[in-house]
């Protein structure tokens, strides 16, 4: 990316989104950050927005277009985690999760696409997870919400390529952020208590030992230099990325045994 681009990033009040917004702002791009909480920064303009509220999303995009004639890129980064056994998960929590991780991201895309089509150019990155490629124990709905977003990404690629609009899923491994504190945690019923606590402690320690968010920013910058995008990119530690091809290469029982070991279930 040589010239200054107009970039909208969601979820910029913390974690990966904040680092991305400051990184691209420092590189001279015009960055707009959409989160519920406002962030004061000299590198990007924060527009407080709840992306699950479609009116708020429309207003935020209208605000951007008061000063901009194009939207070069959307990074759909806002999202949250959810932990708990499938059996214990309430309808309210499941809907809350999908409303943000899937519906919110879709509303963002729908709101920037008209401008991208008008300019016959645009790039959209949907921040997904390596965990969208497999049902993670005690994170089934998180995996499912990101997996649903991946499928939407794949479908959209066929729909928007005539206007030179590129869309991809960026599957991240564990990244060192506060995602663990911001997760929805369902109540844990008696039968799952012991095993849940083990897996929960482990998943939080993986985030604590995760890759630095700055490396995600550098990786995305590398993607921006490419003329053609694949549907899926994987970024993270080798031990996590390798789980994706192994799922298809190994016999299913061998793969499940590996996952049990990795998650300390056996
Ligand atoms: N960290 C990891 O290990 C990891 C791994 C794989 C994928 N990811 C994905 O990476 C993305 C960023 O996660 P993170 O680790 O940076 O987590 P984080 O620190 O918890 O950041 C989440 C961001 O989303 C925003 N957000 C939440 N609800 C929102 C809403 N309704 N409207 C607008 N913004 C909202 C939050 O801001 P407000 O609360 O101010 O709204 C916050 O800025 C997520 O999609 C996550 O699933 C993370």
């Amino acid at each position: 990316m040589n010239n200054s681009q107009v970039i909208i990033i969601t979820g910029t009040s913390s974690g990966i989104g904040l680092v991305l917004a400051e990184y691209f702002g420092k590189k001279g791009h015009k960055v707009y950050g959409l989160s519920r909480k406002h962030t004061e920064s000299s590198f990007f303009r924060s527009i407080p927005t709840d992306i699950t509220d479609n009116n708020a999303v429309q207003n935020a995009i209208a605000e951007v277009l008061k000063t901009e004639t194009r939207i070069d890129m959307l990074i759909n980064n806002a999202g949250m985690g959810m932990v708990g056994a499938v059996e214990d998960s309430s309808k309210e929590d499941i809907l809350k999760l999908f409303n943000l991780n899937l519906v919110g991201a879709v509303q963002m895309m729908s709101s920037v696409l008209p401008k991208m089509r008008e300019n016959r150019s645009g790039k959209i990155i949907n921040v997904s997870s390596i965990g969208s490629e497999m049902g993670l124990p005690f994170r089934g709905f998180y995996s499912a919400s990101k997996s649903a977003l991946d499928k939407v990404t794949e479908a959209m690629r066929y729909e928007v390529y005539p206007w030179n609009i590129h869309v991809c899923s960026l599957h991240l491994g564990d990244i060192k952020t506060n995602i663990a504190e911001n997760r929805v945690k369902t109540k844990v019923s008696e039968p799952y208590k012991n095993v849940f606590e083990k897996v929960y402690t482990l998943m939080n320690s993986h985030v604590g030992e995760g890759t630095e968010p700055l490396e995600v920013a550098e990786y995305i910058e590398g993607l921006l230099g490419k003329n053609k995008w694949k549907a899926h990119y994987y970024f993270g530690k080798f031990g996590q990325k390798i789980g994706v091809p192994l799922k298809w290469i190994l016999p299913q029982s061998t793969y499940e045994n590996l996952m049990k070991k990795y998650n300390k279930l056996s």
Side-chain angles (χ1 to χ4, degrees):
M1 250 194 334
N2 305 320
N3 50 343
S4 174
Q5 308 262 309
V6 178
I7 304 176
I8 298 178
I9 306 174
T10 64
T12 47
S13 66
S14 66
I16 299 165
L18 176 58
V19 172
L20 292 179
E22 300 221 305
Y23 182 86
F24 288 114
K26 280 179 196 165
K27 296 262 169 168
H29 301 294
K30 294 200 63 184
V31 178
Y32 294 85
L34 275 53
S35 312
R36 290 165 303 177
K37 291 191 280 294
H38 174 69
T39 303
E40 206 50 59
S41 169
S42 38
F43 300 109
F44 71 95
R45 179 171 163 211
S46 147
I47 306 178
T49 310
D50 180 342
I51 67 150
T52 65
D53 174 349
N54 201 24
N55 285 333
V57 168
Q58 298 301 329
N59 290 341
I61 300 307
E63 187 60 31
V64 172
L65 293 176
K66 273 185 191 165
T67 44
E68 307 297 346
T69 56
R70 48 191 304 118
I71 296 169
D72 296 299
M73 179 160 74
L74 164 68
I75 305 179
N76 247 332
N77 164 77
M80 67 179 174
M82 176 169 157
V83 286
V86 169
E87 182 185 345
D88 290 339
S89 305
S90 70
K91 180 180 168 185
E92 289 70 28
D93 284 345
I94 298 166
L95 291 178
K96 186 176 168 192
L97 182 81
F98 273 75
N99 201 29
L100 177 61
N101 290 4
L102 176 66
V103 183
V106 169
Q107 284 180 168
M108 283 302 306
M109 293 196 280
S110 301
S111 68
V112 299
L113 278 169
K115 194 37 104 180
M116 289 183 171
R117 251 197 326 270
E118 193 184 308
N119 289 324
R120 300 192 75 82
S121 137
K123 289 190 158 96
I124 300 175
I125 295 178
N126 288 324
V127 176
S128 181
S129 167
I130 288 176
S132 73
E133 299 279 14
M134 58 208 64
L136 295 174
F138 299 103
R139 273 166 294 172
F141 291 104
Y142 177 71
S143 290
S145 69
K146 292 293 188 181
S147 195
L149 183 60
D150 295 342
K151 294 298 167 284
V152 166
T153 301
E154 289 178 3
M156 273 185 69
R157 285 170 60 85
Y158 299 109
E159 296 167 4
V160 300
Y161 86 89
W163 293 278
N164 191 30
I165 298 170
H166 305 271
V167 194
C168 75
S169 273
L170 172 58
H171 301 253
L172 301 178
D174 284 309
I175 312 292
K176 211 186 281 178
T177 68
N178 289 332
I179 193 165
E181 283 99 272
N182 299 332
R183 284 192 191 113
V184 173
K185 190 176 171 194
T186 64
K187 68 165 181 54
V188 186
S189 62
E190 202 49 48
Y192 296 108
K193 264 197 174 120
N194 287 343
V195 66
F196 172 80
E197 280 312 323
K198 266 206 294 185
V199 175
Y200 186 57
T201 307
L202 184 72
M203 70 176 85
N204 289 343
S205 77
H206 284 159
V207 173
E209 295 155 9
T211 314
E212 291 295 335
L214 187 61
E215 293 184 42
V216 180
E218 290 163 351
Y219 185 82
I220 291 180
E221 193 175 30
L223 282 185
L224 293 176
K226 294 182 192 287
N227 289 332
K228 281 193 175 166
W229 274 8
K230 294 191 282 188
H232 301 275
Y233 291 96
Y234 298 89
F235 176 82
K237 297 204 166 147
F238 177 78
Q240 296 187 332
K241 284 194 296 187
I242 192 70
V244 178
L246 285 183
K247 182 176 176 187
W248 302 111
I249 294 165
L250 294 176
Q252 290 190 30
S253 57
T254 312
Y255 177 77
E256 282 193 345
N257 285 335
L258 263 181
M259 284 292 281
K260 282 178 189 159
K261 274 213 169 68
Y262 183 79
N263 289 286
K264 300 219 183 324
L265 295 170
S266 67

